[in-house]
Amino acid sequence: MSSKLIAPSMLAADFGNLQRDTEMVNNSDADWFHIDVMDGHFVPNISYGMPVIAAIKKHATKPLDVHLMIEKPERYIEEFAKVGADIITVHYESTVHLHRTLRQIKDAGCKAGIVLNITTPLTVLQDILPECYMILLMSINPGFGGQKFEAITYKRIKNLRQMIDDQGLDTRIEVDGGVTDQNIQKLVEAGADTFVAGSHVFKSDAPIATIKTLKALANS
Ligand code: DX5
Ligand code: ZN
């Protein structure tokens, strides 16, 4: 299986010290920046948009993994690519013409992925899997950081890994929500390889050491 990646969620960063927190991620064992975009419609919360992403990009030395929690994301793909997105994931539940939206992401020069809410059946991925660089499985209800991990996710990762293997693909499986040093190894065992961690990293006393531990546990 491919190497395990850690993507700290900038939703939990200190926005008053965005450059400092971006540089902390640069200097850590993290692989990507996870960027949560929320519109107050698809999810009940509003986070940040293009200017903040551009500000992070200005200092980031690692790829930006942009998770769009917005209705009709096809309206903004080119703009997100322009401000520096490297990977863009869209929710299955947010766009009617998913296939077209994925093509749009790739045409904009980014890697494309699909996100599923915690109870959206995996079977919706069957035909579109070959188009995806990555599938993001939500392990919480999207909208807020700091929520408790939902255990149903283990079974979903296992089933999705089986579906990916059956098609002879090497699609990444990213997990988002409530990831900590307590569950990351079990998530790897289930078949995940990419891990978002927000509050566990940024609310810890030593974020760089916390990221180092997550990365070591995931690759052990
Ligand atoms: C929530 C976001 C997550 C969030 C994770 O909708 O998609 O990326 O930042 O935060 P933690 O790691 O605190 O659960
Ligand atoms: Zn996210």
Side-chain angles (χ1 to χ4, degrees):
M1 204 197 283
S2 44
S3 66
K4 314 299 182 296
L5 307 182
I6 307 294
S9 169
M10 298 306 281
L11 189 64
D14 176 353
F15 295 158
N17 287 290
L18 205 46
Q19 180 175 354
R20 181 200 67 193
D21 282 359
T22 302
E23 283 166 358
M24 181 280 289
V25 175
N26 287 342
N27 294 329
S28 76
D29 284 345
D31 298 278
W32 297 346
F33 289 83
H34 185 77
I35 308 286
D36 290 301
V37 181
M38 305 177 182
D39 67 353
H41 290 275
F42 182 69
V43 289
N45 195 11
I46 299 176
S47 57
Y48 47 68
M50 288 77 177
V52 172
I53 300 175
I56 294 172
K57 186 72 177 183
K58 196 165 143 200
H59 301 288
T61 57
K62 297 173 180 179
L64 303 194
D65 167 33
V66 177
H67 173 194
L68 298 182
M69 287 162 274
I70 64 177
E71 278 179 10
K72 300 192 175 68
E74 61 273 14
R75 294 173 295 165
Y76 298 109
I77 300 300
E78 287 75 18
E79 280 188 66
F80 284 115
K82 211 177 295 162
V83 293
D86 295 279
I87 302 136
I88 298 180
T89 59
V90 292
H91 273 257
Y92 168 81
E93 305 87 0
S94 70
T95 180
V96 174
H97 301 287
L98 187 57
H99 185 266
R100 181 185 290 151
T101 306
L102 291 189
R103 286 279 163 87
Q104 202 183 340
I105 294 171
K106 289 187 245 183
D107 288 348
C110 301
K111 293 187 167 124
I114 298 174
V115 193
L116 295 190
N117 281 337
I118 39 181
T119 57
T120 299
L122 299 176
T123 47
V124 301
L125 297 171
Q126 191 73 38
D127 295 334
I128 198 143
L129 213 43
E131 297 281 339
C132 299
Y133 167 70
M134 178 166 85
I135 302 298
L136 196 179
L137 293 180
M138 292 308 304
S139 40
I140 53 166
N141 285 300
F144 303 93
Q147 301 182 75
K148 194 180 147 287
F149 176 87
E150 296 289 341
I152 192 178
T153 309
Y154 294 118
K155 177 178 84 183
R156 287 169 62 76
I157 295 168
K158 254 180 228 152
N159 292 342
L160 177 57
R161 182 54 68 195
Q162 187 64 53
M163 188 189 289
I164 291 168
D165 288 348
D166 287 348
Q167 295 196 30
L169 300 168
D170 62 352
T171 319
R172 285 198 165 277
I173 300 181
E174 185 176 47
V175 184
D176 187 3
V179 174
T180 69
D181 55 4
Q182 300 301 302
N183 57 21
I184 196 164
Q185 280 179 305
K186 211 171 154 195
L187 293 166
V188 170
E189 276 163 37
D193 53 31
T194 308
F195 305 93
V196 177
S199 35
H200 181 69
V201 166
F202 285 97
K203 308 286 181 247
S204 76
D205 292 337
I208 291 206
T210 303
I211 293 169
K212 194 182 182 62
T213 303
L214 286 176
K215 178 97 173 176
L217 286 171
N219 286 288
S220 62

